[in-house]
């Protein structure tokens, strides 16, 4: 969720004059292809002035037909199957993954990454929630998987990479990316990113402690903090051209949270900075489903996180470090990449903004320091890393930005994916003596809504559809969905956040064999 905007405004369920029709999507899942700019999801929305309402006010009607709704929902949809064997004599722990994004901001501020490690084992999946613009989330989504993968490589593999660079030979690929056609890259900064990645692995080699490579836990911690340091330094030094310089400044002054999962032979490692979330879905022997959160939100709902932030500043700042559930009264996440306004000294901020030879207004930047900015830094990108060994009952992992978790609980998300995966709708037994007639009627309405066949072949799309359309009775409200999707870009952010979801399905054969070892 953006830390620079006001609190969300709840949608007015009294909105009328909306019409829509729904049917099963005929849009095929998106395939992997080259990158391009994100399209606006508002295209195809028509509006007209309606008759005066009861109060004499004009109302605006939004009309989305079936194809337009499906086009919006499926524009960023991705489904990828993974080969059962990883090419190194072992089975892959990942069977397939499904992903989707839906914008509220224009342009979309969320980003996502998915890639296989070619010089190490396992796959990397990331969700990145930008705030103050998309620049930081974009840079981190492109670069962080490389930093993690390189840290896990053995010394001999790093030596091969360096020798190839030194002799201008083709460099062995580090990652196999799974890109959607709408996933964007900072191509103008590619040379800078490669050069700094090389410096990074040269320093790992110089440490003489790389050996067989870092463990995923150490790799996550080192990579997160090192990339954040590189983002900060790149904004302070001269670069090859004005475009590269502007990109670096934007990435440093914007910010993003990040949740990254590495699924490998050892199991699942998750590193989290901010309030994106990873939740594992598993099935008990009796067939029931449960949710196991693998992350904790780094915001003011987390008491341990509050104590950590307070402990880093004088007691005299106890009343000013956190104001209105925000860091210095401004930022909601308490850990993040970028956001140098919460990390740099005031003098450094002023120097970079004034002497950067960039059009700050065009970059949507301005000179500003948070109130009560007394003892920086107030923010860092140190991840909280968790490990989970895969068990036979573990079925999938949901990694999503807080746009999803604002709308549903961990348990609800797991239930929806489980129902989508199995086609079995989960109904708990209820005694008639526990409910009156009205309550029983509402329960039957909710169950009928849940029993409706899924309109989506992609579980991530299924989650987003429910997040936008489920009303206070737990029913799928088609009018609500149409309203949410038809909101103009300047209003959409007031009612919902960007949503990014990736669902990773585990290979049961791998889980079983791993458990038996």
């Amino acid at each position: 969720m953006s830390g620079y905007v006001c609190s969300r405004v709840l949608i007015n369920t009294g909105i009328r004059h909306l019409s829509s029709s729904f049917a099963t999507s005929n849009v095929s899942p998106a395939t992997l292809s080259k990158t391009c700019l994100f399209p606006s999801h508002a295209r195809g929305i028509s509006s007209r002035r309606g008759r005066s309402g009861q109060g004499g006010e004009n109302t605006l009607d939004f009309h989305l037909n079936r194809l337009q709704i499906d086009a919006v929902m499926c524009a960023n949809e991705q489904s990828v199957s993974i080969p059962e064997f990883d090419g190194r004599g072992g089975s892959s722990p990942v069977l397939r993954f499904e992903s989707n994004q839906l914008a509220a901001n224009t342009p979309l501020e969320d980003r996502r990454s998915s890639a296989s490690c070619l010089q190490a084992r396992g796959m990397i999946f990331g969700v990145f929630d930008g705030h103050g613009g998309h620049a930081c989330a974009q840079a981190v989504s492109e670069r962080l998987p490389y930093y993690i993968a390189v840290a896990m490589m053995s010394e001999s593999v790093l030596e091969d990479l360096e020798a190839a660079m030194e002799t201008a030979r083709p460099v062995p690929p580090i990652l196999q990316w799974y890109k959607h056609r709408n996933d964007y890259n900072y191509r103008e900064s590619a040379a800078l990113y490669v050069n700094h990645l090389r410096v990074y692995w040269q320093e790992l080699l110089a440490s003489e402690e790389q050996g067989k490579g870092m463990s995923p836990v150490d790799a996550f911690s080192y990579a997160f903090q090192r990339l954040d340091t590189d983002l900060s330094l790149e904004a302070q030094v001269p670069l090859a051209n004005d475009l590269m310089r502007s990109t670096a400044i934007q990435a440093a002054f914007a910010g993003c949270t990040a949740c990254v999962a590495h699924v490998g032979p050892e199991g699942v490692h998750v590193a989290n900075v901010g309030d994106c979330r990873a939740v594992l879905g598993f099935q008990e022997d009796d067939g029931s489903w449960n949710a196991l959160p693998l992350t904790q939100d780094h915001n003011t709902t987390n008491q341990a996180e509050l104590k950590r932030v307070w402990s880093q500043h004088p007691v005299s700042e106890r009343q000013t470090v956190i104001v209105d559930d925000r860091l210095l009264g401004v930022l909601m996440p308490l850990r993040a990449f970028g956001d140098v306004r919460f990390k740099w000294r005031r003098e450094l901020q002023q120097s970079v903004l004034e002497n950067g030879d960039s059009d700050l207004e065009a970059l949507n930047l301005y000179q500003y320091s948070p109130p009560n900015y007394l003892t920086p830094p107030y923010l860092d990108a140190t991840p909280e890393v968790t490990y989970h060994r895969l068990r036979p009952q573990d079925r999938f992992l949901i990694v999503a930005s807080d746009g999803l978790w604002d709308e549903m609980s961990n348990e609800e998300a797991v239930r929806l994916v489980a129902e989508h995966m199995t086609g079995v709708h989960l109904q708990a037994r209820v005694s008639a003596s526990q409910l009156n007639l009205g309550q029983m009627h509402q329960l039957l309405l909710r169950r009928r809504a849940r029993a409706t066949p899924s309109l989506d072949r992609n579980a991530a799309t299924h989650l987003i559809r429910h997040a936008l359309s489920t009303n206070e009775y737990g029913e799928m409200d088609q009018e609500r969905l149409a309203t949410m999707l038809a909101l103009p870009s300047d209003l959409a952010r007031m009612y919902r956040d960007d949503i990014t979801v990736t669902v990773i399905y585990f290979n049961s054969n791998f889980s079983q064999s791993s458990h038996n070892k």
Side-chain angles (χ1 to χ4, degrees):
M1 176 184 294
S2 171
Y4 298 100
V5 297
C6 297
S7 301
R8 289 195 314 120
V9 180
L10 296 178
I11 188 167
N12 180 356
T13 56
I15 293 177
R16 294 295 183 266
H17 311 289
L18 299 173
S19 62
S20 60
S21 60
F22 297 80
T24 302
S25 170
N26 293 320
V27 180
S28 60
T31 57
L32 304 178
S33 61
K34 295 183 179 180
T35 59
C36 68
L37 293 174
F38 286 92
S40 170
H41 71 272
R43 292 172 184 165
I45 296 175
S46 61
S47 63
R48 62 177 175 80
R49 284 289 174 184
R51 295 178 179 273
S52 297
Q54 185 175 1
E57 299 177 352
N58 287 332
T59 59
L60 192 63
D61 291 356
F62 296 103
H63 294 275
L64 290 177
N65 62 36
R66 181 185 73 183
L67 293 179
Q68 289 172 322
I69 291 171
D70 287 341
V72 172
M73 293 296 297
C74 299
N76 296 312
E77 192 176 70
Q78 185 182 25
S79 297
V80 178
S81 295
I82 306 300
E84 184 175 354
F85 297 98
D86 61 9
R88 296 183 178 87
S91 59
S92 171
V94 177
L95 185 65
R96 70 182 190 279
F97 70 89
E98 298 173 341
S99 184
N100 202 354
Q101 296 182 294
L102 185 69
N105 292 289
T106 303
L108 175 76
E109 294 185 345
D110 281 5
R111 293 294 186 267
R112 59 184 171 181
S113 296
S114 53
S116 292
C117 299
L118 297 179
Q119 307 300 328
R121 300 289 296 275
M123 297 185 67
I124 295 173
F125 301 92
V127 168
F128 310 91
D129 186 350
H131 47 260
H134 65 275
C136 186
Q138 179 63 50
V140 174
S141 69
E142 291 184 52
R143 303 175 70 181
L144 185 59
Y146 281 112
Y147 278 58
I148 295 168
V150 165
M152 293 191 294
M153 291 180 192
S154 67
E155 183 176 356
S156 61
V157 173
L158 293 181
E159 288 173 344
D160 289 343
L161 291 178
E162 179 58 23
M165 292 287 288
E166 189 70 25
T167 59
R169 291 186 286 110
V171 178
I174 295 172
L175 297 173
Q176 177 185 342
W177 285 91
Y178 303 96
K179 291 283 189 178
H180 186 273
R181 63 175 177 270
N182 290 341
D183 291 343
Y184 177 65
N185 281 345
Y186 276 157
R187 299 188 186 280
E188 66 277 2
S189 297
L192 174 69
Y193 295 170
V194 170
N195 288 338
H196 283 197
L197 184 66
R198 185 184 182 187
V199 171
Y200 174 63
W201 77 53
Q202 287 174 337
E203 292 179 3
L204 291 174
L205 284 170
S207 70
E208 298 182 352
E209 299 177 356
Q210 189 67 9
K212 295 182 178 180
M214 293 185 186
S215 68
V217 172
D218 291 337
F220 270 136
S221 182
Y222 190 69
F224 272 59
Q225 294 176 81
R226 175 52 185 267
L227 177 56
D228 193 52
T229 298
D230 282 356
L231 292 172
S232 177
L233 292 175
E234 289 161 8
Q236 301 175 48
V237 300
L239 295 176
N241 56 62
D242 290 343
L243 183 57
M244 193 179 294
R245 170 74 170 158
S246 297
T247 299
I249 291 177
Q250 281 184 307
F253 277 84
C256 81
T257 62
C259 184
V260 181
H262 176 267
V263 186
E266 305 89 353
V268 180
H269 289 84
V270 179
N272 186 51
V273 163
D275 49 12
C276 296
R277 194 180 302 173
V279 178
L280 185 139
F282 66 96
Q283 190 173 26
E284 301 284 11
D285 292 339
D286 62 1
S288 62
W289 290 84
N290 283 307
L292 176 65
L294 298 185
T295 59
Q296 298 185 69
D297 296 347
H298 297 140
N299 54 32
T300 57
T301 63
N302 183 336
Q303 289 300 310
E305 189 67 4
L306 276 175
K307 292 178 181 178
R308 182 190 68 84
V309 173
W310 281 327
S311 70
Q312 296 176 348
H313 302 278
V315 176
S316 59
E317 293 187 60
R318 182 66 179 255
Q319 302 303 317
T320 58
V321 172
I322 303 295
V323 178
D324 294 331
D325 291 329
R326 294 171 183 262
L327 185 65
L328 299 179
V330 178
L331 192 67
M332 291 192 71
L334 302 181
R335 303 189 198 191
F337 283 93
D339 280 318
V340 293
R341 284 197 177 95
F342 298 85
K343 298 172 181 177
W344 290 356
R345 294 175 292 105
R346 289 179 188 268
E347 295 78 12
L348 178 57
Q349 295 180 38
Q350 183 176 357
S351 174
V352 169
L353 290 176
E354 290 182 351
N355 302 321
D357 297 326
S358 298
D359 185 344
L360 298 183
E361 185 176 351
L363 297 179
N364 196 28
L365 294 174
Y366 50 94
Q367 294 188 35
Y368 166 76
S369 291
N372 301 301
Y373 197 71
L374 305 174
T375 56
Y378 288 88
L379 191 69
D380 62 54
T382 303
E384 189 169 14
V385 185
T386 58
Y387 167 69
H388 177 80
R389 182 186 179 191
L390 285 176
R391 308 165 297 177
Q393 63 265 40
D394 297 330
R395 296 290 185 265
F396 53 82
L397 180 70
I398 305 169
V399 184
S401 61
D402 70 336
L404 179 75
W405 308 114
D406 287 343
E407 307 298 339
M408 65 177 62
S409 66
N410 298 344
E411 293 74 18
E412 180 72 2
V414 166
R415 179 185 65 77
L416 286 167
V417 174
E419 291 179 347
H420 187 271
M421 180 176 70
T422 63
V424 177
H425 298 276
L426 311 172
Q427 309 286 14
R429 294 182 179 180
V430 178
S431 171
S433 61
Q434 297 175 333
L435 303 174
N436 60 37
L437 188 59
Q439 292 170 327
M440 182 64 74
H441 176 68
Q442 292 300 331
L443 177 63
L444 291 174
L445 287 177
R446 289 195 295 271
R447 289 192 167 180
R448 184 174 65 181
R450 285 173 53 180
T452 302
S454 173
L455 299 176
D456 306 296
R457 287 175 286 181
N458 183 299
T461 308
H462 185 63
L463 285 173
I464 295 173
R465 188 183 293 272
H466 276 264
L468 296 184
S469 64
T470 302
N471 62 21
E472 62 270 30
Y473 300 111
E475 303 167 10
M476 288 278 288
D477 187 332
Q478 296 178 349
E479 184 175 294
R480 179 185 176 92
L481 177 62
T483 302
M484 284 292 199
L485 294 181
L487 287 171
S489 58
D490 57 341
L491 291 179
R493 187 58 186 87
M494 298 178 64
Y495 293 93
R496 58 182 176 85
D497 200 356
D498 295 332
I499 303 177
T500 298
V501 182
T502 298
V503 181
I504 303 117
Y505 294 93
F506 301 127
N507 183 346
S508 58
N509 293 332
F510 174 89
S511 302
Q512 187 67 49
S513 62
S514 176
H515 184 75
N516 291 334
K517 289 181 180 179

